[in-house]
């Protein structure tokens, strides 16, 4: 994969990607396995919006995640799974084992008449079977909709109904810290209002007693016993749907963000390898849940496309005590850690006595995702976890962007606490004022937009294209509007200041949630703060 290795090369690649985006992305896309090359790299219109990458290209993303690695990396460990309970043995899956499990589950889905384009809901804890189910859908051309297994029956039902899922894949229960969560019971309640679901496949995780409805509910283990470990991959078009992921709209019902196969594949692999500077011998640990886009892009697709080894963690950072992350890092010799500022702040608040027993000397790169990281947390992470020798990649992106858009490249981009720094090649950010006029130069702030499509940009919101247009493309003509405020400092570095619908205007200065949180968190007596917008009748 096209790897940037120096700051000079970053600047030259960035220039190439802006001067001739189509040639730049065609080059990167040609490193994957295609059954038929595309006729045209890009076709786009932001006002409709209508965006197509690698037009008429044919391939299957799982052949690029699995099949093409078998000859050289078949025995390489794709995943190491660490259970919620530190006493439970971990499980490893090589690329060959993962390939066979995915093929088996693909055949199970086919047995129940799941076809290309059908939607499958996955509501599971952080077990390897969740990843296997996602890849099995992609292999046969079904569209996966993963729902975080902490959501209520009501939220689950709404998501199943919105995209008309045919099959639900779930587990009997889940372990999360001290809790034993009855997952299947939540699914049963949700399905009372989802008559379209024909089958439920239930993986046995906790052994808790569950209700199995004859003719609808089937055991994962029983089905897999009889399934063949070979399944040809469905030939997909570059713009066929890969997945739907619901993001809770700030108002009303959740939006089903749609990502398609080709552009998403190219961008997640490229961003994974460059941002984290992943190398063959690394063990990568993204602590997110597969129910979020971070899990889709940087636990499943990005790392597998790169032939990487990843860690999947079932538990939580504070159980059995707040040293759990550090214990896992030492136990498995993790090299790259990608986690959220919320987790970092919670572990900082717990105190250094939980960090000191661990060496953490395997760590090479630290990452932050999910919200802007405040300076104090950044400095704590840098000093106590990275020992001042691990670059921190503070990544900015969204469910809608599919992959990381603004971030340091580990060890290459000089970093500053609280700054996402510079855009990745191919990403063209700009700041605009409330009227949509571009704010040029440095030492400025405004609303963050992007003027040109990148391969993994949102294509639509499922079943309601106009909602996609209104939310992202209608505020400022011919621009993708991120919804975030942003400052560009004297060095041209970007700092995200929070959602623009959550700002206080003081004498023309716009103060975002991230800045208020940062100021509060700097106070010695504050352990953790969260700042949210609050409507005011006069203002």
């Amino acid at each position: 994969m096209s790897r940037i290795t120096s700051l000079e090369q970053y600047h030259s690649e960035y220039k190439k990607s802006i001067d001739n985006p189509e040639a730049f992305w065609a080059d990167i896309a040609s490193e994957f396995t295609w059954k038929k090359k595309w006729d045209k790299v890009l076709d786009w219109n932001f006002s409709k919006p209508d965006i197509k990458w690698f037009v008429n290209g044919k391939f299957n993303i799982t052949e690029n995640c699995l099949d093409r690695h078998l000859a050289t990396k078949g025995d390489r460990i794709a995943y190491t799974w660490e259970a919620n309970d530190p006493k439970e043995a971990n499980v490893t899956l090589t690329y060959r084992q993962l390939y066979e499990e995915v093929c088996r589950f693909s055949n199970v889905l086919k047995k129940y008449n799941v076809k290309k384009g059908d939607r499958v809901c996955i509501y599971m804890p952080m077990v390897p079977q969740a990843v296997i189910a996602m890849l099995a859908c992609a292999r046969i051309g079904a569209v996966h909709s993963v729902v975080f297994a902490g959501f209520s029956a009501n939220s689950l039902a709404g998501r199943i109904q919105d995209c008309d899922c045919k099959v639900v894949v779930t587990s009997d229960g889940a372990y999360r810290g001290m809790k034993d969560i009855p997952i299947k019971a939540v699914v049963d309640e949700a399905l009372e209002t989802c008559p379209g679901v024909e089958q439920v496949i239930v993986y046995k995780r906790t052994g808790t007693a569950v209700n199995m409805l004859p003719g609808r509910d089937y055991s994962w283990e029983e089905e897999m016993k009889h399934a063949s470990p070979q399944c040809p991959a469905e030939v997909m078009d570059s713009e066929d749907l890969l997945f739907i992921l619901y993001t809770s709209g700030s108002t009303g019902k959740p939006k089903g963000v749609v990502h398609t196969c080709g552009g998403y594949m190219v961008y997640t692999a490229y961003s994974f390898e460059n941002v984290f500077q992943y190398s063959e011998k690394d063990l990568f640990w993204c602590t997110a849940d597969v129910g979020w886009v971070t899990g889709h892009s940087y636990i499943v697709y990005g790392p597998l496309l790169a032939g990487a080894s990843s860690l999947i963690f079932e538990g939580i950072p504070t159980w059995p005590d707040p040293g759990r992350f550090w214990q896992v890092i030492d136990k498995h010799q993790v090299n790259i850690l990608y986690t959220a500022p919320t987790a970092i702040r919670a572990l900082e608040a717990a105190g250094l006595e939980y960090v000191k027993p661990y060496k953490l000397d395997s760590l090479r790169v630290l990452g932050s995702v999910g919200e802007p990281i405040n300076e104090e947390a950044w400095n704590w992470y840098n000093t106590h976890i990275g020992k001042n020798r691990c670059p921190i990649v503070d990544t900015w992106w969204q469910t809608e962007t599919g992959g990381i858009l603004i971030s340091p490249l580990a060890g290459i981009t000089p970093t500053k606490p609280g700054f996402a720094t510079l855009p990745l090649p191919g990403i063209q950010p700009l700041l605009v004022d409330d009227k949509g006029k571009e704010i040029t130069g440095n030492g400025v702030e405004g609303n963050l937009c992007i003027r040109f499509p990148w391969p993994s940009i949102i294509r639509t919101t499922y079943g309601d294209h106009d909602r996609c247009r209104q939310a992202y493309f209608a505020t400022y003509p011919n621009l993708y509007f991120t919804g975030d405020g942003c400052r560009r400092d004297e060095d041209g570095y970007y700092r995200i200041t929070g959602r623009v619908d959550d700002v206080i205007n003081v004498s023309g200065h716009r103060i975002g949630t991230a800045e208020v949180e940062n100021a509060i968190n700097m106070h010695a007596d504050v352990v953790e703060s969260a700042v949210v917008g609050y409507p005011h009748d006069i203002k």
Side-chain angles (χ1 to χ4, degrees):
M1 173 58 72
S2 317
R3 173 69 61 81
I4 294 169
T5 55
S6 69
L7 195 58
E8 297 68 43
Q9 192 191 352
Y10 160 78
H11 287 299
S12 78
E13 288 294 299
Y14 188 79
K15 186 176 185 315
K16 262 198 298 197
S17 77
I18 306 306
D19 292 346
N20 192 342
E22 297 191 27
F24 176 82
W25 288 114
D27 240 12
I28 290 158
S30 63
E31 297 173 27
F32 295 92
T33 301
W34 298 81
K35 299 236 187 272
K36 173 192 174 289
K37 275 278 173 85
W38 50 89
D39 298 332
K40 189 180 180 189
V41 178
L42 172 64
D43 203 347
W44 70 290
N45 173 326
F46 268 3
S47 55
K48 287 184 175 171
D50 182 15
I51 302 142
K52 294 183 179 74
W53 278 92
F54 312 114
V55 182
N56 296 330
K58 309 288 183 210
F59 75 112
N60 186 289
I61 195 168
T62 68
E63 288 190 322
N64 285 283
C65 287
L66 301 171
D67 308 44
R68 73 183 174 131
H69 300 315
L70 295 180
T72 54
K73 295 180 178 171
D75 298 326
R76 180 177 171 77
I77 290 171
Y79 290 112
T80 299
W81 176 72
E82 172 73 25
N84 177 65
D85 184 345
K87 295 188 201 73
E88 188 174 341
N90 46 274
V91 173
T92 57
L93 275 171
T94 64
Y95 271 87
R96 186 164 289 104
Q97 289 168 325
L98 181 62
Y99 164 82
E100 290 180 356
E101 291 292 285
V102 167
C103 286
R104 280 196 180 93
F105 198 66
S106 300
N107 288 322
V108 171
L109 292 172
K110 285 167 86 165
K111 174 183 166 184
Y112 290 108
N113 204 27
V114 176
K115 298 185 296 298
K116 181 176 175 174
D118 286 342
R119 275 78 57 211
V120 173
C121 174
I122 299 168
Y123 184 79
M124 294 185 91
M126 280 295 286
V127 288
Q129 287 70 21
V131 175
I132 290 162
M134 290 167 74
L135 294 166
C137 290
R139 192 161 187 90
I140 64 171
V143 180
H144 59 72
S145 169
V146 184
V147 179
F148 172 60
F151 280 163
S152 68
N154 205 16
S155 301
L156 175 61
R159 287 157 170 77
I160 290 170
Q161 291 159 1
D162 187 73
C163 66
D164 195 18
C165 289
K166 185 172 186 173
V167 169
V168 175
V169 185
T170 188
S171 65
D172 53 357
Y175 296 121
R176 196 167 169 76
M178 292 183 69
K179 295 183 187 144
D180 187 340
I181 303 160
I183 297 251
K184 174 64 163 58
V186 177
V187 171
D188 289 341
E189 188 186 332
L191 294 191
E192 288 170 15
T193 55
C194 303
V197 172
E198 294 167 16
Q199 268 81 37
V200 179
I201 316 264
V202 186
Y203 172 70
K204 185 177 178 179
R205 171 66 189 112
T206 60
T208 188
V210 294
N211 175 41
M212 297 288 279
L213 195 66
R216 186 194 72 180
D217 299 354
Y218 297 90
S219 152
W220 171 293
E221 290 77 7
E222 285 305 311
E223 294 296 326
M224 292 288 270
K225 259 186 219 167
H226 310 296
S228 157
Q230 297 297 322
C231 177
E234 183 74 33
V235 177
M236 303 295 282
D237 184 88
S238 189
E239 285 300 326
D240 281 337
L241 268 64
L242 175 61
F243 66 85
I244 301 165
L245 188 56
Y246 286 88
T247 172
S248 38
S250 41
T251 56
K253 70 174 192 160
K255 295 191 284 278
V257 170
V258 168
H259 285 292
T260 54
C261 296
Y264 178 82
M265 171 178 78
V266 171
Y267 195 80
T268 47
Y270 179 78
S271 57
F272 171 75
E273 293 205 25
N274 279 292
V275 168
F276 300 105
Q277 289 290 302
Y278 179 82
S279 83
E280 282 281 298
K281 58 187 185 304
D282 285 329
L283 177 62
F284 177 78
W285 181 19
C286 168
T287 69
D289 190 283
V290 289
W292 312 119
V293 74
T294 307
H296 282 55
S297 299
Y298 301 111
I299 293 175
V300 185
Y301 292 106
L304 292 177
L305 289 162
S309 290
S310 296
L311 186 79
I312 297 176
F313 177 52
E314 183 184 36
I316 57 172
T318 51
W319 190 86
D321 66 51
R324 186 68 200 280
F325 269 14
W326 323 132
Q327 177 256 327
V328 170
I329 288 166
D330 276 8
K331 175 181 174 182
H332 295 288
Q333 293 293 289
V334 170
N335 307 108
I336 305 171
L337 174 68
Y338 191 34
T339 194
T342 313
I344 296 163
R345 287 195 295 265
L347 298 173
E348 177 189 359
L352 287 175
E353 65 265 32
Y354 293 105
V355 182
K356 284 180 177 148
Y358 303 102
K359 286 187 176 162
L360 306 180
D361 55 359
S362 60
L363 285 173
R364 195 174 67 73
V365 174
L366 300 176
S368 162
V369 60
E371 60 186 291
I373 182 169
N374 56 299
E375 252 174 87
E376 190 200 357
W378 193 100
N379 286 320
W380 184 87
Y381 197 29
N382 181 46
T383 306
H384 299 293
I385 307 309
K387 317 290 187 194
N388 296 309
R389 57 173 180 75
C390 298
I392 295 177
V393 291
D394 174 4
T395 64
W396 176 83
W397 59 300
Q398 305 172 314
T399 304
E400 296 84 352
T401 71
I404 296 164
L405 298 199
I406 305 178
S407 169
L409 307 185
I412 290 172
T413 317
T415 58
K416 288 183 193 181
F419 281 80
T421 71
L422 299 171
L424 265 64
I427 307 304
Q428 302 187 31
L430 71 158
L431 302 182
V432 301
D433 64 18
D434 286 343
K435 295 186 173 58
K437 183 174 183 303
E438 184 173 358
I439 302 165
T440 55
N442 291 340
V444 294
E445 59 184 292
N447 299 333
L448 179 62
C449 294
I450 298 166
R451 69 170 99 237
F452 193 86
W454 59 98
S456 63
I457 188 172
I458 181 175
R459 299 305 198 263
T460 187
T461 43
Y462 192 79
D464 187 352
H465 189 63
D466 197 56
R467 190 172 182 192
C468 173
R469 186 184 67 78
Q470 293 282 358
Y472 310 107
F473 299 93
T475 312
Y476 304 113
N478 296 315
L479 296 175
Y480 169 87
F481 176 42
T482 66
D484 280 332
C486 184
R487 176 174 301 144
R488 188 167 54 225
D489 78 355
E490 280 63 22
D491 298 324
Y493 273 25
Y494 290 85
R495 178 177 189 157
I496 309 302
T497 55
R499 304 299 294 165
V500 296
D501 44 14
D502 286 346
V503 292
I504 308 170
N505 242 327
V506 182
S507 312
H509 296 283
R510 299 164 61 80
I511 300 169
T513 53
E515 296 161 299
V516 179
E517 276 175 17
N518 195 42
I520 294 171
N521 286 328
M522 294 297 248
H523 194 285
D525 294 340
V526 174
V527 171
E528 167 84 3
S529 76
V531 176
V532 292
Y534 185 81
H536 188 281
D537 291 344
I538 296 168
K539 291 292 189 178

